[in-house]
Amino acid sequence: MSTNAIADMQHTAAPVAHTRLRLTRRGRVVFTTLAAVPVLLCVGIAMLNGGQASAGDRAANVHFDTVTIQPGETLWQVAEDTAPNSDPP
């Protein structure tokens, strides 16, 4: 390859477009803030509304049994005594 061929290749390359837009430190702060504000708002709303899903206006009909564990008694035995027709975990 000769020097003429190299020189011709350099002149035929597409010109690089230079833009005047520059992202300064202040611009980065603004764009970061604009991106973070909606995310923080969604997280805040989710945290504030998180407890409303379990709230209800009627009382649950739940019955609790109190069991006293005797020395030497296992959890499996207590489960069988409490619910004999269920599969103990």
Side-chain angles (χ1 to χ4, degrees), residues 31-41:
F31 280 123
T32 304
T33 304
L34 288 176
V37 166
V39 173
L40 293 175
L41 284 175

Side-chain angles (χ1 to χ4, degrees), residues 12-64:
T12 59
V16 178
H18 295 287
T19 60
R20 294 180 188 219
L21 181 64
R22 233 178 26 169
L23 191 58
T24 61
R25 183 177 182 272
R26 180 179 174 199
R28 284 191 299 270
V29 170
V30 169
F31 280 123
T32 304
T33 304
L34 288 176
V37 166
V39 173
L40 293 175
L41 284 175
C42 290
V43 169
I45 290 170
M47 287 176 57
L48 293 175
N49 288 336
Q52 291 180 357
S54 63
D57 58 349
R58 57 188 171 131
N61 190 11
V62 179
H63 175 71
F64 293 101

